[in-house]
């Protein structure tokens, strides 16, 4: 596939992102039934955050997933449900402030119950997004670590963003060596990751080499470093996506990206398994393809929304342009 | 009525679905008062699901019912009310997790109270929809079984979908022999129904014969088997609806269908009782007519929504096209 031509080593090549997106997007076939285009679950939503998990989950649906779930705390659930009847929201997570009177044994029981409720669903999911609006409560993060471990045991891909990256940066073994994990750090999250994993500060003179080393050091986990150009690497090579984009930096765009990458990663896996063994696509890491397509789609939608709303553009405006952007990219060739 | 020509036995004929829809839709008459175009109740909405009962209930209104009620748990009620001020939402159902400290006698009291609250309303309803977002909690399902039994005693028609089908598949006596019951299984729900009732796996070589047998075995209950073509049978014959439709399989479309079938079933009954004894319509099962019309309308609305939103189409987009679809079908002849 021409779309994924690139240089290995330190240099990077702009990915033919639109071609990647077109190649991995499944055809809409009347014989397919509900669920086959993707079942995504977002783990996030706590006392403080409800918008982020909603943005990630609704974006997955707008791109073409069939079902989108959110696992969050009870208080967050009521609000997230009320944003949209399209989502399935599970109020199962707990935060310390809510169980402050409970002793250690009680907490272990609560943790077990959370895990068993999640287990009932996990095998159905094609990809998890861990982190949007997750918060940093220690008890909650401990439960989410266990959820990630279970997902990994079942080979369910995991896209990690936001507070999920805080968790993973401090417990890198959660994703280390897992080829179906994707990290999508912004500038600050990337800085912490480099400090923790490589033990040094970010070196702007060696952007590509550093990203390659970081990915390799975490066992070839795919990293999407968000920026003016998005840089993507699984430790083998670095690719960039620079097309489109907007100069508006309103919060929430990273949540659209994580939900998008989840869907495209699943589609790339489907495509990968359907493709002939010798084709380029079967040799290309689906996590990398998912990042390239997700990055291109968000950048296109952000550009279109900005054309209409300028400085006033919000994340919901960008989400409203996901469908049109997908269509525009799909039709152009 | 030409619209319901069909072959008996194993073969099926495409129903003239648009003609059925036009024939059973009541005229808008200034002398009629609130309620005469239909009072529908949806039984569903629990800890996890709030979108599904909303989709079913709001669809009933958008098609032309006058009043649409939802019976659900307290937590779900707050959210469902927030989706729309058009619905009347009764927070009367209970789930096990919420009454875990209650003993058996206490649970019997709660169950009695739920039933007596429902009884106050039941006689007013023209059709129930049991299942959208019902969940699978054993205590809740036990209460819903009793509600179904009461509705049956009062000759209130019942459309069963989603987790209502889970309940009915395990307790087939709830609907067995009830000519005013409609089951609307998707591919997986149909599979479980066939396994349980016919004791075998689905046979794709004998689709029509199998559907006929299944319906007969449940005492001529009407079954709408959803798929690329929707197949409808009351054990006498099989009819199909294949017009329109979309290739998008986002979750929630089944909820639109169940709400639609409920309204059309009621209208077909009204029409049936108003028609002359010897007319074709008075000899046609209103449950079958309701399924044909509901299927056609959903397929038309899904097609229209898809024209606009393509892969990004969600269930709310389809609901927004119900009115226009109804109008288009009503005007064409």
């Amino acid at each position: 596939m021409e779309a994924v031509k690139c240089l290995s080593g330190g240099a990077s090549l702009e990915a033919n992102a639109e071609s990647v997106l077109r190649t991995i997007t499944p055809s809409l076939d009347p014989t397919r039934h509900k669920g086959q285009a993707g079942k995504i679950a977002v783990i996030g939503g706590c006392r403080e955050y409800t918008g982020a998990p909603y943005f990630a989950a609704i974006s997955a649906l707008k791109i073409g997933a069939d079902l989108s779930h959110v696992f969050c705390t009870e208080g967050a659930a009521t609000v997230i449900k009320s944003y949209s009847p399209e989502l399935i929201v599970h109020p199962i997570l707990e935060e310390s402030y809510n169980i402050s009177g409970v002793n250690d044994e009680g907490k272990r029981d609560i943790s077990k119950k959370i895990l068993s409720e999640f287990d009932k669903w996990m095998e159905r999911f094609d990809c998890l997004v861990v982190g949007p609006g997750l918060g940093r409560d220690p008890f909650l993060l401990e439960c989410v670590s266990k959820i990630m471990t279970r997902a990994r045991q079942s080979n369910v891909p995991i896209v990690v963003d936001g507070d999920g990256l805080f968790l993973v940066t401090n417990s890198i073994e959660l994703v280390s060596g897992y080829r179906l994990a994707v990290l999508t750090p912004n500038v600050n999250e990337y800085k912490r990751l480099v400090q923790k994993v490589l033990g040094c500060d970010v070196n702007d003179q060696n952007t590509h080499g550093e990203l390659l080393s970081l990915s390799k050091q975490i066992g070839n986990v795919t990293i999407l470093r968000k920026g003016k150009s998005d840089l993507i690497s699984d430790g083998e090579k670095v690719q960039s996506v620079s097309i489109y984009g907007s100069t508006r930096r309103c919060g929430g765009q990273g949540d659209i990206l994580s939900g998008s990458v989840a869907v495209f990663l699943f589609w790339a896996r489907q495509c990968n398994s359907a493709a002939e063994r010798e084709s380029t696509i079967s040799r290309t890491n689906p996590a990398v393809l998912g990042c390239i397509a997700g990055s291109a789609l968000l950048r296109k939608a952000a550009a279109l929304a900005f054309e209409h709303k300028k400085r006033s553009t919000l994340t919901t405006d960008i989400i409203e342009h996901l469908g049109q952007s997908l269509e525009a990219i799909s039709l152009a060739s």
Side-chain angles (χ1 to χ4, degrees), chain A:
Chain A
M1 187 171 57
E2 271 191 63
V4 291
K5 257 199 265 170
C6 65
L7 302 175
S8 57
S12 83
L13 189 71
E14 177 75 5
N16 189 341
E18 296 194 320
S19 169
V20 167
L21 190 153
R22 280 192 294 272
T23 306
I24 64 176
T25 300
S27 61
L28 287 162
D29 179 337
T31 64
R32 301 187 92 192
H33 58 78
K34 184 174 79 177
Q36 290 184 307
K39 302 175 291 296
I40 305 300
V42 177
I43 318 289
C46 63
R47 198 180 182 205
E48 281 158 331
Y49 303 111
T50 51
Y54 163 75
F55 290 146
I58 201 78
S59 297
L61 284 180
K62 295 259 181 184
I63 290 165
D66 287 337
L67 293 163
S68 193
H69 294 243
V70 176
F71 290 81
C72 60
T73 64
E74 192 162 354
T78 309
V79 177
I80 297 169
K81 284 166 198 263
S82 78
Y83 290 148
S84 169
E86 310 280 357
L87 306 176
I88 299 164
V89 184
H90 306 259
I92 68 165
L93 299 182
E94 282 288 0
E95 286 173 283
S96 304
Y97 87 95
N98 217 20
I99 51 168
S100 55
V102 181
N103 65 18
D104 284 354
E105 203 189 324
K107 282 181 184 166
R108 273 195 297 275
D109 287 344
I110 292 169
S111 173
K112 266 187 203 160
K113 205 178 152 204
I114 291 169
L115 211 60
S116 88
E117 290 217 41
F118 181 77
D119 275 347
K120 284 188 233 161
W121 292 92
M122 195 187 54
E123 297 282 348
R124 312 186 196 189
F125 296 133
D126 299 307
C127 191
L128 299 189
V129 181
V130 174
L134 193 62
R136 295 187 177 186
D137 179 76
F139 180 80
L140 187 145
L141 291 185
E142 205 187 300
C143 291
V144 172
S145 300
K146 289 176 187 160
I147 286 174
M148 289 178 75
T149 305
R150 292 287 174 99
R152 189 173 172 170
Q153 284 163 352
S154 301
N155 273 319
V156 177
I158 309 176
V159 179
V160 187
D161 190 44
D163 291 322
L165 287 169
F166 170 81
L167 170 64
V168 159
T169 301
N170 294 322
S171 309
I172 203 74
E173 71 282 358
L174 285 171
V175 293
S176 189
Y178 186 41
R179 294 297 298 259
L180 292 173
V182 173
L183 314 182
T184 57
N186 62 21
V187 58
N188 286 320
E189 291 154 352
Y190 186 77
K191 198 169 137 188
R192 283 195 294 267
L193 207 51
V194 166
Q195 284 169 341
K196 192 83 181 190
V197 175
L198 299 180
C200 61
D201 285 329
V202 170
N203 177 359
D204 286 331
Q205 304 308 306
N206 182 25
T207 313
H208 298 161
E210 184 181 74
L211 182 59
L212 270 174
S213 303
L214 183 65
S215 171
K216 270 186 200 152
Q217 191 65 34
I218 316 176
N220 295 90
V221 156
T222 298
I223 300 171
L224 192 173
R225 181 190 179 177
K226 297 180 277 196
K228 190 181 160 211
S229 289
D230 294 328
L231 296 177
I232 297 148
S233 180
D234 62 353
E236 300 291 330
K237 55 204 174 196
V238 175
Q239 292 183 83
S240 65
V241 178
S242 314
I243 48 166
Y244 311 116
S246 119
T247 48
R248 183 74 170 103
R249 294 286 178 265
C250 56
Q253 296 183 59
D255 307 311
I256 302 179
L257 183 68
S258 61
S260 308
V261 170
V263 178
F264 286 119
L265 194 170
F266 168 60
W267 287 354
R269 280 189 94 192
Q270 270 190 327
C271 190
N272 189 312
S273 59
E276 288 164 33
R277 279 197 178 188
E278 297 308 308
S279 73
T280 312
I281 201 160
S282 75
R283 282 179 277 122
T284 307
N285 184 345
V288 169
L289 296 174
C291 288
I292 292 171
S295 167
L297 183 67
L298 169 62
R299 296 173 77 100
K300 173 84 176 172
L304 282 181
F306 189 80
E307 270 178 33
H308 288 86
K309 300 281 189 114
K310 304 293 179 196
R311 193 183 293 269
S312 163
T313 306
L314 301 187
T315 295
T316 38
D317 301 315
I318 300 173
I319 289 171
E320 278 317 299
H321 284 87
L322 286 172
Q324 190 190 339
S325 304
L326 197 61
E327 206 54 24
I329 297 176
S330 299
L331 292 176
S333 59

